[in-house]
Amino acid sequence: MATSEFSIEKAFEELDQILVQMEDENLGLADSLDLYKKGVKLLEQCGQTLDQTEKEIIVLQEGQDGDIPAGEDSE
């Protein structure tokens, strides 16, 4: 999955597929480890994406002068 074209939705789908594959009792140790590594990388990318999105939301909520934009209830 290319970083520039990262989609968190696709990453979650891929993580689901990894979980299904890892539940296979016939999966070898090396394959399990490869899937685990791939899952960890996807989770890191998802975490980074969520962190960035959270920061963007905070900036939008605060506006340029630190106030919540007009029309928003602060309670």
Side-chain angles (χ1 to χ4, degrees):
M1 185 170 284
T3 305
S4 62
E5 297 295 324
F6 181 77
S7 164
I8 196 165
E9 293 84 4
K10 288 181 183 178
F12 283 142
E13 290 175 11
E14 195 167 349
L15 285 167
D16 284 338
Q17 293 172 1
I18 288 171
L19 287 174
V20 169
Q21 290 174 322
M22 289 187 73
E23 289 174 349
D24 183 358
E25 294 176 3
N26 297 320
L27 188 66
L29 181 60
D31 291 333
S32 293
L33 183 58
D34 288 341
L35 288 170
Y36 180 81
K37 288 177 183 178
K38 187 174 185 178
V40 168
K41 287 180 183 179
L42 285 170
L43 285 173
E44 287 175 1
Q45 287 180 302
C46 288
Q48 291 171 359
T49 300
L50 291 172
D51 287 344
Q52 182 62 36
T53 302
E54 181 180 21
K55 289 175 185 175
E56 289 177 25
I57 289 170
I58 290 169
V59 168
L60 289 172
Q61 286 179 338
E62 291 177 350
Q64 291 183 356
D65 58 0
D67 294 332
I68 295 176
E72 297 291 322
D73 188 6
S74 61
E75 293 180 33

